[in-house]
Amino acid sequence: MNKKIHVLQFVPDLGKNSGIAHVLMEYFKVINNDIIYDFVYFNEVDNSYKAEIKKLGGVFFKLPSPFNLVKFNREWKKFCKDNYGKYDVFENNLPFLGVLFSSVKDRLGVKVDITHSHVTKFGDRKFSDFRNKLFFILTGQNVGDILFSCSSEAGKKIFGKKCQLKEWHIINNAFKIEKFAFNGKKRDAVRANMGWSNKKVIGNIGRLVPQKNQKLILEAFARLESDNCLLVIVGEGYLKESLENEAKRLKIEDKVEFLGTRNDISDLLQAFDAFYFPSIFEGLGVSLVEAQIAGLPALISNTIPAEAIISNCIIENLDSSIIDWERKLEQVLVMKREKNGVYLARSHGFDLDLESIKLIKLYQNILAR
């Protein structure tokens, strides 16, 4: 029996609301017979993947925040000394902090150093994007031997010319696609249970943060003249209260439901009639892919990476007027539902069963070289 490949993943946190952790864990659940992921993180959050990591045979280690460089470096050096030679691969999922790991092969004894980009910007706010990008540039744009990214845009926007200078692979944000397949019976049951049976339901799924642009969603929705429409926003974030207040200001609070974090996303997508996704930026946009698998027509911003568009979507420029957005929203509401979403997702590389085989072979081939 071949020895399992041991990969150390550096991530900000292990939270189930973290896009990075979610993608890595989706793969880990499938590849754990061949590859073990251990995790180094620095932010403690509730509702984490810790139990799942242990069950799959992985372990996790908390370090100080890298923004406290002295303390982080001290603890990182100690970690490397205590775990020298244990890992085959080191994978940094926060490219702007690459300078911290410029000597990881010598310090930790790994054979391969990978940098993985999951986004097209360095931060979800203007300040954090500017700060992190500046830090990345000033510290020499350190990246590993090999580059991973969730889309071509996530690679080019973060790594720039290094995509041409180094070995670069796109690792699709794959998942179990079958559970999102359209199911008419489930749709009727969910709509009845939620009290949506006689409504045209427009859905949005994402963290309530500026990046996801839910304020624009509310503004365009408020212009719809139909009393039969309902807007459902799924997710949590620090903007929740301000978005609820915005709904009140627009006098649509009785036509908007904020559902918070949910564990039944695949069921809710069955019950929606359209999907609204005007993000300011996305590394990929997994929730959009999930919505399209469920057959939903979608209105999206022109910043969404092309890889996330697998079916008929209406695209609007972020700079367009609210009137333009509202008109496109009306168009989406009369579009037919796609019934072939699973096939489309598989053909675009989102089937976890297929993509995990590719990832295992990729790690094996990299190490063989």
Side-chain angles (χ1 to χ4, degrees):
M1 182 177 177
N2 293 331
K3 174 181 173 291
K4 291 184 179 181
I5 295 172
H6 215 159
V7 180
L8 180 65
Q9 298 281 359
F10 176 73
V11 296
D13 62 68
L14 302 175
K16 292 185 178 180
N17 289 328
S18 163
I20 294 175
H22 176 73
V23 168
L24 296 177
M25 288 302 296
E26 285 290 294
Y27 273 106
F28 191 18
K29 291 171 187 175
V30 180
I31 67 177
N32 69 302
N33 286 331
D34 299 274
I35 298 171
I36 293 294
Y37 282 169
D38 285 356
F39 296 83
V40 170
Y41 71 103
F42 56 89
N43 280 335
E44 202 69 74
V45 297
D46 296 327
N47 194 25
S48 76
Y49 283 112
K50 289 183 178 180
E52 288 91 335
I53 292 170
K54 288 181 179 179
K55 187 176 180 180
L56 292 168
V59 294
F60 44 84
F61 310 88
K62 186 176 186 298
L63 293 180
S65 169
F67 296 104
N68 186 337
L69 286 174
V70 174
K71 193 172 182 181
F72 176 87
N73 277 325
R74 182 174 67 245
E75 293 299 317
W76 171 242
K77 287 179 182 178
K78 183 179 184 302
F79 174 89
C80 290
K81 182 178 180 181
D82 294 343
N83 294 277
Y84 185 86
K86 180 180 178 180
Y87 298 101
D88 301 295
V89 178
F90 174 75
E91 192 166 326
N92 171 27
N93 293 277
L94 290 177
F96 76 94
L97 292 176
V99 67
L100 303 178
F101 310 112
S102 56
S103 58
V104 67
K105 293 172 78 172
D106 293 329
R107 281 188 177 178
L108 191 57
V110 295
K111 302 177 184 69
V112 177
D113 176 15
I114 296 172
T115 304
H116 195 153
S117 170
H118 298 262
V119 293
T120 55
K121 288 191 176 184
F122 288 89
D124 59 3
R125 304 188 201 184
K126 287 184 178 180
F127 172 73
S128 60
D129 179 43
F130 174 78
R131 177 198 63 195
N132 297 344
K133 185 175 182 178
L134 182 63
F135 183 79
F136 184 60
I137 293 172
L138 293 178
T139 55
Q141 296 177 280
N142 283 272
V143 294
D145 308 313
I146 294 171
L147 307 179
F148 284 179
S149 65
C150 64
S151 67
S152 58
E153 284 294 297
K156 294 173 183 176
K157 291 288 181 67
I158 299 300
F159 301 130
K161 293 181 179 179
K162 291 182 183 292
C163 289
Q164 301 170 358
L165 301 174
K166 291 182 175 277
E167 184 177 338
W168 173 35
H169 301 276
I170 294 177
I171 310 299
N172 291 322
N173 287 355
F175 51 94
K176 292 287 187 178
I177 59 177
E178 289 80 5
K179 70 177 182 179
F180 294 95
F182 178 70
N183 183 314
K185 290 182 178 180
K186 183 177 289 186
R187 169 181 165 81
D188 292 341
V190 174
R191 285 172 68 85
N193 183 57
M194 298 295 293
W196 299 343
S197 295
N198 299 315
K199 299 288 185 180
K200 269 280 190 180
V201 183
I202 302 166
N204 170 266
I205 298 171
R207 292 175 298 127
L208 307 187
V209 296
Q211 172 197 345
K212 301 298 182 178
N213 211 10
Q214 281 103 351
K215 187 173 183 290
L216 174 64
I217 295 175
L218 293 171
E219 291 173 344
F221 177 78
R223 295 184 58 86
L224 290 178
E225 295 183 0
S226 174
D227 293 328
N228 199 39
C229 287
L230 177 71
L231 174 63
V232 176
I233 297 178
V234 183
E236 289 287 349
Y238 67 90
L239 288 182
K240 184 176 183 180
E241 184 177 351
S242 67
L243 290 170
E244 290 175 335
N245 289 334
E246 180 67 6
K248 291 176 182 177
R249 186 188 71 81
L250 294 168
K251 299 180 180 179
I252 55 172
E253 67 269 25
D254 58 335
K255 299 168 66 176
V256 180
E257 293 186 15
F258 291 89
L259 298 188
T261 300
R262 301 280 296 208
N263 295 319
D264 58 347
I265 297 298
S266 59
D267 291 343
L268 291 174
L269 288 171
Q270 306 296 324
F272 293 167
D273 295 290
F275 198 69
Y276 194 176
F277 201 66
S279 298
I280 295 172
F281 69 93
E282 289 286 344
L284 179 74
V286 173
S287 61
L288 172 62
V289 178
E290 294 171 346
Q292 290 171 96
I293 296 172
L296 292 174
L299 172 59
I300 66 175
S301 58
N302 62 319
T303 60
I304 305 300
E307 289 94 331
I309 303 172
I310 66 172
S311 185
N312 290 329
C313 293
I314 292 182
I315 303 172
E316 187 57 81
N317 194 302
L318 274 178
D319 295 329
S320 295
S321 69
I322 291 299
I323 295 174
D324 290 330
W325 279 99
E326 184 264 331
R327 287 173 179 167
K328 293 293 175 61
L329 190 55
E330 289 178 343
Q331 293 177 32
V332 168
L333 285 171
V334 297
M335 289 173 63
K336 291 183 178 180
R337 194 170 196 127
E338 170 65 58
K339 300 295 177 64
N340 209 20
V342 169
Y343 169 78
L344 293 171
R346 184 172 290 120
S347 64
H348 282 77
F350 292 107
D351 187 337
L352 183 60
D353 292 330
L354 297 178
E355 297 306 305
S356 61
I357 294 171
K358 295 179 185 178
L359 184 62
I360 291 170
K361 290 181 178 179
L362 178 58
Y363 277 124
Q364 290 172 339
N365 290 337
I366 288 171
L367 285 169
R369 286 187 264 119

